[in-house]
Amino acid sequence: QKEVEQNSGPLSVPEGAIASLNCTYSDRGSQSFFWYRQYSGKSPELIMFIYSNGDKEDGRFTAQLNKASQYVSLLIRDSQPSDSATYLCAVNVVGGNTPLVFGKGTRLSVIA
Amino acid sequence: GAGVSQTPSNKVTEKGKYVELRCDPISGHTALYWYRQSLGQGPEFLIYFQGTGAADDSGLPNDRFFAVRPEGSVSTLKIQRTERGDSAVYLCASSSSGGSGNTIYFGEGSWLTVV
């Protein structure tokens, strides 16, 4: 059973703070890792992906991957109220175009 | 088209009826996916097409669910004898076969309510 685990939250952070979202996965063969943001009533939209151990930065977002610990995280710097959404972690086990396995998502609330 | 297009955006149907949901992927994307999302849950994989063929249909919950993609572009998800438990958002996504590989892009979803 391929599983992706996330704390459902809600995670509340004040505006301007760093939000840290965490995700663990069960299949050690997982190859690529994605973070999606989903606003209420909307479809998931891709924020970023990471394939290699370490950090990957894109603007205010940093993805961190530790394959040995089977752990991936997303940091959001200078959090804004517009960042309030559900953040979905997704994992691709086999690679190529095979389907992603999603976690249940963490609801983030940024308080102004 | 510019993005993944799904129709209808909303569908209310009576228990026992037949439903078709349509997906038009991003132009040139060979891979197409159907997911289902219930309230408070992440997207749950249903079926994946590579071209015209179903490469993986292991997520279809039972034989009431079926999907086709006859010409390798538009796909239709078909649900027979709908049940109230089928109520969910049905998300279609597509990806290209190269470049960033399996980055998938979602449509806005078809909200199905079975009453």
Side-chain angles (χ1 to χ4, degrees):
Chain A
Q1 180 75 16
K2 304 178 181 69
E3 292 184 352
V4 177
E5 300 288 340
Q6 296 181 257
N7 188 322
S8 61
L11 172 66
S12 294
V13 300
E15 183 176 1
I18 295 176
S20 178
L21 303 157
N22 305 316
C23 172
T24 59
Y25 58 95
S26 63
D27 196 315
R28 190 167 289 277
S30 299
Q31 297 190 3
S32 47
F33 308 85
F34 298 78
W35 283 100
Y36 283 80
R37 177 176 63 200
Q38 187 172 29
Y39 291 113
S40 181
K42 298 294 187 181
S43 62
E45 56 178 326
L46 180 69
I47 297 176
M48 61 191 306
F49 56 87
I50 185 168
Y51 299 149
S52 303
N53 276 327
D55 294 0
K56 180 181 179 182
E57 187 174 318
D58 184 0
R60 296 187 295 112
F61 299 97
T62 299
Q64 299 176 317
L65 175 61
N66 184 325
K67 289 187 178 180
S69 300
Q70 295 176 233
Y71 176 91
V72 57
S73 65
L74 179 71
L75 302 178
I76 306 175
R77 289 182 299 282
D78 189 23
S79 296
Q80 302 297 309
S82 59
D83 295 326
S84 298
T86 296
Y87 289 80
L88 297 162
C89 173
V91 173
N92 178 273
V93 177
V94 178
N97 288 321
T98 53
L100 299 181
V101 178
F102 284 82
K104 291 184 177 181
T106 298
R107 190 154 53 92
L108 173 67
S109 178
V110 180
I111 310 302
Chain B
V4 178
S5 176
Q6 292 188 246
T7 55
S9 54
N10 283 284
K11 175 72 175 179
V12 179
T13 191
E14 293 181 346
K15 180 175 178 293
K17 298 291 187 182
Y18 169 79
V19 167
E20 287 191 353
L21 307 174
R22 174 190 164 105
C23 173
D24 195 348
I26 293 172
S27 178
H29 279 191
T30 58
L32 185 147
Y33 312 81
W34 284 99
Y35 283 82
R36 177 170 70 175
Q37 188 174 24
S38 301
L39 193 64
Q41 303 295 314
E44 171 194 17
F45 168 70
L46 297 177
I47 186 169
Y48 150 56
F49 289 89
Q50 187 63 259
T52 60
D56 183 350
D57 64 358
S58 62
L60 294 177
N62 51 60
D63 62 5
R64 295 187 298 105
F65 289 76
F66 189 69
V68 296
R69 195 186 185 198
E71 297 178 358
S73 55
V74 171
S75 176
T76 304
L77 178 66
K78 308 180 181 191
I79 309 173
Q80 297 178 320
R81 305 183 304 279
T82 52
E83 299 177 356
R84 292 195 178 89
D86 299 335
S87 297
V89 179
Y90 289 81
L91 294 165
C92 179
S94 69
S95 69
S96 64
S97 59
S100 56
N102 57 355
T103 302
I104 68 172
Y105 299 92
F106 284 92
E108 289 301 315
S110 290
W111 294 67
L112 176 66
T113 302
V114 182
V115 297

